[in-house]
Amino acid sequence: MLHPVSAPNGATAPAHSDRIGFAQLTRRAFEGGNLHPLREKLLERIAEGIAEAGEGLDLSLIAQLLGEKEAGLVIQTEVLAFHQLFRTPCAAAKPRMRVLALAADIDMGGNTPIEFLLEGSDIELLTLYVVKGVGLPETLPEHDVAIVVASDSAECREALAVIEQAAPRWPRPLLNRPELIGNLDRDKLYRLLADIPGLDIPVTANATRAQLTALSEGRIACAEITSELHFPMIVRPRGTHAGVGLAKVDDAAALKAYLAERQEQDFFVARFVNYASSDGLFRKIRLTMVDGKPYACHMAIADRWDIWYLNAYMAFSEEKRAEEAVFMQDFDHAFAARHKNALDEMSRRVGLDYFIVDCAENQDGELLVFEADNTAVVHNMDPPAVFPYKPPQMRKIFAAFTAMLSRHVKAGEGAAA
């Protein structure tokens, strides 16, 4: 049975350990700061046996930011074996709200980077890692609202299952319910959204290496994997994000060459959609959905279909940035208005309080959905001298997020009264 911190049975909630945290360390790395001196200092404290658990978790993140993912994850797992609760201090001496984030033991991209959403606010963040063999404490740390930040990744499923089992007895409002997060997996998302009018989402099907090998050798047809599949097609290893292993294969020979370069056994495949605008450029949009309402996060513009913001080189094109600025300024009565019905229905079916959508408009003017997840980074790190229109937009998103938290806290207090 889960209890709030004031449980009458005398049990005490686990103590937290402070850390620098994801937002500050990522910002330092993003701005070109040298993380090596801090890493050496933390290593010295560990060698001397005086490091706190939060410092160990910071060291794990620093290693990952420096490209040492495996070493960072080893450190993280070792830390989480003996300590699971961490605090990221807020800007106020006395926080007006305490948020409990429920995370999994996964790499730095596998949990919602909620610290960015709360950065500079008067809200204190506690992160509780739900670890295999440990689970949830009988007495939870004191909090006003909880949110699940673990992703739909296979590595998070055990943590999500533990949270889901406890969810009906949760003593405070619980956002981003664990049973809904699994619907964000690419093939499940297609089945969830497929028949929404005005929304185009290609069938995303799981395909084994054996199936794709047979297809590349002409022993089976595309339709034997899924009915609408044909060349050219998009293929990627299952479980990857940020373009890792993503490729467009035009024919069987290209598929064979692709498989020769990959070691994975399971893949996602989908039909290729040419979403180029009339000027030949591709425009990929990231939306942040907060409490059912869409907010523009960015628009990446490039002459290639496989865009993400960094490879669109937006910082080097004043013309592209001017278009993105207009997109953000006009968003509510332009893009969001055009796709209002599709966005509303998508939000209703996904059911999460907060999630991110990567999308575009297809050549028929429909909302083309590539993926949705709850862990994409929404940040305010872009230099305002280059992107002066971004900080106001990011603050708008952050304000919507904190307003959503406040609404649920008040609703929870009303229900308990």
Side-chain angles (χ1 to χ4, degrees):
M1 178 67 179
L2 292 170
H3 302 284
V5 72
S6 57
N9 61 4
T12 56
H16 64 253
S17 180
D18 282 356
R19 61 177 178 178
I20 298 170
F22 187 92
Q24 283 197 47
L25 291 174
T26 303
R27 184 181 294 278
R28 289 189 205 180
F30 189 83
E31 294 175 350
N34 184 3
L35 294 175
H36 287 88
L38 178 57
R39 179 173 71 169
E40 294 308 310
K41 176 184 174 183
L42 293 175
L43 285 170
E44 287 175 11
R45 288 180 59 80
I46 288 172
E48 293 169 8
I50 58 174
E52 300 289 337
E55 292 174 307
L57 212 58
D58 285 335
L59 179 62
S60 162
L61 182 55
I62 290 169
Q64 293 178 68
L65 290 167
L66 293 174
E68 301 166 7
K69 178 179 174 179
E70 296 306 319
L73 289 177
V74 168
I75 296 168
Q76 178 172 286
T77 299
E78 288 178 353
V79 171
L80 296 180
F82 67 87
H83 198 96
Q84 293 85 42
L85 184 66
F86 301 86
R87 183 180 73 146
T88 306
C90 72
K94 186 176 181 182
R96 71 175 172 90
M97 187 193 309
R98 181 172 286 178
V99 177
L100 180 65
L102 301 168
D105 180 9
I106 191 172
D107 65 75
M108 65 181 187
N111 293 303
T112 307
I114 188 174
E115 288 179 26
F116 282 118
L117 302 172
L118 301 177
E119 199 174 17
S121 75
D122 55 355
I123 299 174
E124 184 175 274
L125 175 66
L126 290 173
T127 302
L128 178 62
Y129 284 84
V130 184
V131 180
K132 184 177 181 180
V134 178
L136 292 166
E138 181 180 351
T139 301
L140 292 168
E142 185 178 358
H143 62 285
D144 301 298
V145 61
I147 182 169
V148 181
V149 298
S151 70
D152 66 320
S153 303
E155 301 96 314
C156 296
R157 284 176 192 155
E158 187 169 330
L160 289 175
V162 170
I163 301 166
E164 183 176 351
Q165 187 175 14
R169 308 181 306 281
W170 207 269
R172 301 286 183 266
L174 178 63
L175 309 188
N176 274 16
R177 308 286 293 198
E179 66 272 15
L180 299 175
I181 289 173
N183 288 332
L184 298 177
D185 206 11
R186 292 179 192 274
D187 53 347
K188 293 178 184 175
L189 186 69
Y190 164 76
R191 293 195 293 271
L192 190 67
L193 306 182
D195 61 348
I196 295 177
L199 187 149
D200 180 14
I201 180 168
V203 173
T204 301
N206 184 68
T208 64
R209 172 174 285 274
Q211 285 177 300
L212 293 184
T213 299
L215 179 59
S216 73
E217 295 172 353
R219 292 186 281 114
I220 65 170
C222 292
E224 292 181 57
I225 296 176
T226 183
S227 59
E228 74 162 30
L229 192 65
H230 55 75
F231 289 111
M233 68 175 65
I234 301 298
V235 59
R236 72 172 79 218
R238 184 164 189 147
T240 60
H241 294 277
V244 175
L246 175 67
K248 172 176 169 274
V249 294
D250 292 327
D251 51 33
L255 178 58
K256 190 169 188 176
Y258 172 84
L259 291 171
E261 296 175 354
R262 309 298 311 182
Q263 301 300 313
E264 294 90 353
Q265 297 300 308
D266 288 287
F267 299 84
F268 280 128
V269 291
R271 61 179 164 88
F272 171 72
V273 178
N274 180 6
Y275 63 99
S277 302
S278 57
D279 61 0
L281 296 178
F282 295 85
R283 289 163 173 83
K284 188 174 181 182
I285 294 156
R286 173 162 288 176
L287 306 180
T288 307
M289 303 294 294
V290 185
D291 227 6
K293 179 177 168 58
Y295 295 85
C297 190
H298 68 227
M299 172 191 274
I301 306 167
D303 58 1
R304 53 189 291 174
W305 66 269
D306 54 339
I307 318 172
W308 51 100
Y309 205 76
L310 291 179
N311 74 8
Y313 302 110
M314 299 290 288
F316 299 98
S317 171
E318 187 174 342
E319 185 177 357
K320 289 181 182 180
R321 295 197 305 277
E323 182 177 340
E324 185 183 33
V326 171
F327 169 74
M328 289 184 169
Q329 178 183 329
D330 296 345
F331 178 79
D332 286 342
H333 62 264
F335 187 94
R338 286 197 301 277
H339 302 294
K340 183 180 188 310
N341 292 338
L343 288 167
D344 286 350
E345 182 61 14
M346 176 174 63
S347 181
R348 187 189 71 79
R349 293 190 188 187
V350 170
L352 293 171
D353 304 280
Y354 171 85
F355 65 102
I356 298 96
V357 182
D358 283 341
C359 60
E361 289 179 305
N362 68 15
Q363 294 179 345
D364 293 325
E366 296 174 311
L367 181 70
L368 174 63
V369 174
F370 298 117
E371 66 177 308
D373 70 56
N374 63 321
T375 60
V377 178
V378 178
H379 64 80
N380 191 19
M381 295 189 294
D382 291 306
V386 182
F387 300 93
Y389 53 91
K390 279 200 168 182
Q393 181 64 20
M394 294 303 107
R395 287 194 293 270
K396 187 177 178 181
I397 294 171
F398 302 160
F401 185 78
T402 57
M404 176 188 71
L405 296 176
S406 296
R407 183 177 72 77
H408 282 280
V409 170
K410 288 177 183 175
E413 290 171 347

